[in-house]
Amino acid sequence: MRIIGIEGGKGPAQALKPAEAPTPQVASGEILIRVKAAGVNRPDIVQREGRYPAPPGASPVLGLEVAGEVAEIGEGVTRWEVGDQVCALLGGGGYADYAVVDARHALPIPAGLDLIQAAALPETCFTVFTNVFEGGQLKAGETLLIHGATSGIGVMAIQMAKAAGARVIATSRSAAKAEAARGLGADISLDASSLDLTAAIRAEGGADVILDMVGADYAGINLNSLNTGGRWVVIATLTGALAQVDLMRLMLKRAVLTGSTLRGRPADEKARLAQAVETRVWPWIEAGLIKAQIHATFPLDQAAEAHAELEKGQHIGKIVLIP
């Protein structure tokens, strides 16, 4: 089968090259998916740069989410049959013609979506659900502050929060992106390039939950924006991982600072999350409350171009590869 290999070098054009590899073998409890679409995510870039290796047992091939058809089922798999259309969360291996995955990490395609749209769901839905609704404990009527609101994660977080009855303050790095976030449902959308963010967020009542993909540069903004009893959830550190935090202010606000990663979690934990996402989020999608926002698609052989597009930072929604 075709894959996208990593030949060394950090730039996408130097590192990502089409290659051939054996089709993966299905073990007990797994399914083989004929990939029709694969989501492109920022962790793929970090892995390409050599800073985010695949967890033990996972494919070293890039790609954390796919949609396609079940081509083969392993022993003990009862939910899926050959020919079923599914999307799935992977530990790796999505940039390929075929991907193997724990059958419990696959979900049916939500009614009304095609395979390209479905490929944009698993990584974002799982990430937002576990961080905003489990780690952040967001409730109806509370305010969620989202930085990087037009990224794939941000777009999904806006829509999931609104579907749950929360209020959303979104920040983006341009007036055009701020307008796009507003169009996706954000109640307040702020252009971070032209505002005093702390003052603007506090003027809107502050935040009960913060979904932070920025990291160090926004540590002070986040702490100052957080309401008493608030929850600050870190899921990426684009501006650095080391930050100064006034612990006394954190204590006085009775706030929680937490963070998580998804890829390295145990298989059983991902299976639990898959069930929770299917139960709570899939009905929102099928009711039209959440839409898969696709920024661009690229053929699989143009994975380098897809990475370059993601690195520009101008995307609104997801970038998807099509084998």
Side-chain angles (χ1 to χ4, degrees):
M1 67 172 185
R2 289 178 307 158
I3 66 167
I4 298 299
I6 305 175
E7 294 189 353
K10 293 187 176 181
Q14 295 76 36
L16 301 181
K17 305 292 184 182
E20 295 289 324
T23 301
Q25 299 297 303
V26 176
S28 176
E30 294 180 336
I31 59 173
L32 181 68
I33 298 174
R34 182 180 293 107
V35 177
K36 299 296 185 180
V40 177
N41 295 281
R42 193 159 291 279
D44 302 342
I45 293 174
V46 184
Q47 181 177 342
R48 187 198 81 216
E49 294 173 341
R51 298 184 289 117
Y52 191 35
S59 169
V61 176
L62 298 177
L64 301 178
E65 58 185 350
V66 298
E69 297 174 354
V70 176
E72 187 179 344
I73 59 173
E75 182 180 354
V77 175
T78 58
R79 180 175 189 184
W80 309 112
E81 297 181 356
V82 171
D84 285 346
Q85 292 193 333
V86 297
C87 58
L89 182 75
L90 310 177
Y95 289 20
D97 286 324
Y98 291 88
V100 69
V101 65
D102 188 319
R104 300 173 300 168
H105 303 167
L107 293 172
I109 306 299
L113 269 62
D114 60 29
L115 290 172
I116 293 173
Q117 293 169 317
L121 295 177
E123 176 72 11
T124 52
C125 286
F126 278 62
T127 297
V128 173
F129 184 82
T130 188
N131 287 287
V132 172
F133 292 95
E134 292 190 336
Q137 291 291 301
L138 181 70
K139 303 173 185 64
E142 290 188 322
T143 296
L144 172 66
L145 170 61
I146 305 167
H147 297 305
T150 56
S151 66
I153 295 291
V155 165
M156 185 58 65
I158 290 171
Q159 296 181 89
M160 286 174 62
K162 294 302 297 180
R167 178 172 174 264
V168 172
I169 300 175
T171 76
S172 308
R173 289 180 295 173
S174 71
K177 286 190 170 189
E179 184 59 31
R182 190 175 295 108
L184 290 163
D187 298 279
I188 306 297
S189 190
L190 304 173
D191 178 1
S193 68
S194 62
L195 290 170
D196 177 338
L197 275 187
T198 300
I201 294 165
R202 289 308 321 170
E204 297 296 343
D208 302 299
V209 179
I210 299 173
L211 184 63
D212 180 17
M213 295 172 268
V214 177
D217 285 1
Y218 276 22
I221 293 170
N222 289 333
L223 186 56
N224 290 329
S225 300
L226 205 60
N227 292 333
T228 300
R231 288 82 69 196
W232 170 9
V233 187
V234 181
I235 63 168
T237 56
L238 294 178
T239 62
L242 298 180
Q244 286 190 326
V245 176
D246 185 334
L247 296 180
M248 180 57 73
R249 293 208 64 204
L250 197 73
M251 293 160 57
L252 291 172
K253 288 193 173 192
R254 302 191 299 279
V256 173
L257 170 57
T258 186
S260 75
T261 59
L262 177 62
R263 188 181 191 185
R265 295 190 185 201
D268 287 349
E269 169 65 5
K270 290 182 181 178
R272 181 196 67 78
L273 279 171
Q275 290 182 333
V277 166
E278 185 175 1
T279 297
R280 188 163 185 194
V281 182
W282 255 225
W284 289 340
I285 297 171
E286 294 181 340
L289 299 176
I290 295 173
K291 300 183 186 301
Q293 186 81 15
I294 306 299
H295 172 75
T297 62
F298 291 84
L300 178 64
D301 290 350
Q302 293 180 16
E305 287 86 342
H307 275 222
E309 180 68 18
L310 185 63
E311 289 179 334
K312 289 178 185 176
Q314 300 304 311
H315 58 289
I316 297 172
K318 293 296 289 284
I319 296 170
V320 177
L321 294 175
I322 304 174

